[in-house]
Amino acid sequence: KSGSVLREGVAVKYACIAQHLREFRVRLMCRVLQVSPSGFYAWRTRPASARTQRDQQLKTKIRLAHAHSRRTYGAPRVHEELKADHERVAKKRVARLMQEEGLAARPKRRYVITTDSRHAHPIAPNHLHRAFDVNGVQAIDRVWVADITYIPTGEGFLYLAVVLDLASRRAVGWAMDDTLEATLPLGALRMAIVRRCPAPGLVHHSDRGCQYACGDYQHLLGAHRMIPSMSKRGDCYDNAVMESFFSTLEFELLTQKLAELGVNY
């Protein structure tokens, strides 16, 4: 094993020399790195090892997976993409190759609070109980989940409210505004109702923010005989489907577009 590590170390030195051939003389670099010029020239003509060839194949697939994610995936998610493509490779190897290629996930954006649960409005019980499996929902438009996120722009924040159908994972209603008032999620809910015309008994799950707990929102739910359901206070896992949806929307789609527009995300 020590001999293998030593050979890899020498190969790294040779690769460094090859990378800087136009800048420095070979003999000078060999003397500095304590390797022989003859060994370097032999290394250049020697066919690449099976491991090196394999690394090059993996690097091509890694670059494709990273580009397909709009440069948002880190090593864990790139590794999952390779596994889905029936590529057997260790996660540590993927991380090493991504580092060699200078590939990394985009950093996550700063956090802005959109939920204010400090209010006197009644709180609905949690009827969903994290039953997020699509196979556990009898049909579409039987369970909706709702939430609000924010989008930074060159002129300040815009807020996005979405209503998601749990069975189809489809956004059935949405609204955008520069305010966090209850009119924002109400607009998304009204769109969902008009578009889907749900039957009575639909479970509507949200956090316990004042926008969802207020009288106007609860009145609209009651008018269409929907059953309100709310997460526990401060527990994002109770509405994990919406968190996942926003994560994909924001981190994998908006990040790239806003970067192209020069907006700091």
Side-chain angles (χ1 to χ4, degrees):
K1 184 176 180 180
S2 60
S4 175
V5 172
L6 182 60
R7 287 192 297 272
E8 287 186 7
V10 173
V12 169
K13 293 181 180 181
Y14 288 156
C16 180
I17 292 171
Q19 187 176 358
H20 297 281
L21 283 176
R22 294 185 179 182
E23 304 170 54
F24 306 102
R25 291 184 293 114
V26 171
R27 287 188 177 277
L28 173 62
M29 289 189 286
C30 287
R31 187 165 64 250
V32 171
L33 296 176
Q34 298 181 337
V35 293
S36 68
S38 60
F40 168 70
Y41 289 119
W43 173 83
R44 291 195 73 187
T45 58
R46 188 184 306 135
S49 66
R51 180 178 177 81
T52 300
Q53 293 179 38
R54 172 64 171 157
D55 279 353
Q56 292 304 318
Q57 294 171 355
L58 287 172
K59 283 180 178 180
T60 299
K61 294 189 175 184
I62 287 170
R63 285 195 297 268
L64 288 173
H66 190 254
H68 183 69
S69 75
R70 299 177 178 86
R71 300 189 295 279
T72 61
Y73 282 4
R77 299 188 74 175
V78 169
H79 180 249
E80 289 299 320
E81 287 291 306
L82 295 179
K83 282 176 56 181
D85 197 33
H86 308 290
E87 195 69 63
R88 297 184 63 182
V89 57
K91 189 184 300 183
K92 288 185 178 180
R93 191 175 189 180
V94 173
R96 174 178 63 81
L97 295 176
M98 288 187 66
Q99 185 177 21
E100 290 178 5
E101 292 294 289
L103 304 177
R106 287 184 180 272
K108 292 189 177 181
R109 63 195 178 117
R110 60 189 184 277
Y111 181 67
V112 173
I113 296 175
T114 57
T115 302
D116 181 8
S117 57
R118 297 172 299 178
H119 54 74
H121 301 298
I123 301 299
N126 187 343
H127 294 290
L128 188 56
H129 298 297
R130 302 186 186 181
F132 302 130
D133 185 2
V134 294
N135 297 319
V137 183
Q138 294 179 352
I140 60 173
D141 299 326
R142 301 311 302 156
V143 180
W144 286 352
V145 291
D147 202 356
I148 301 171
T149 191
Y150 63 97
I151 300 171
T153 72
E155 299 180 357
F157 285 114
L158 276 179
Y159 298 98
L160 170 67
V162 175
V163 178
L164 197 73
D165 176 64
L166 191 57
S168 63
R169 296 297 202 266
R170 180 187 294 274
V172 294
W174 58 88
M176 291 189 70
D177 207 336
D178 59 0
T179 177
L180 277 170
E181 299 296 325
T183 52
L184 174 67
L186 276 168
L189 179 58
R190 290 192 180 103
M191 176 190 285
I193 291 170
V194 170
R195 295 180 71 222
R196 310 298 295 187
C197 300
L202 179 147
V203 174
H204 175 286
H205 185 80
S206 68
D207 60 38
R208 54 174 62 191
C210 58
Q211 300 95 331
Y212 294 110
C214 71
D216 289 344
Y217 202 93
Q218 292 299 311
H219 176 76
L220 184 58
L221 292 178
H224 292 272
R225 298 167 65 184
M226 297 183 188
I227 302 172
S229 171
M230 292 184 180
S231 305
K232 289 183 291 186
R233 184 172 183 175
D235 194 337
C236 61
Y237 296 105
D238 279 352
N239 206 0
V241 172
M242 280 304 309
E243 297 288 344
S244 176
F245 174 82
F246 281 149
S247 177
T248 300
L249 176 70
E250 297 157 2
F251 193 40
E252 299 179 11
L253 300 180
L254 295 178
T255 300
Q256 177 68 14
K257 186 61 179 178
L258 291 172
E260 293 173 359
L261 297 175
V263 178
N264 183 17
Y265 200 44

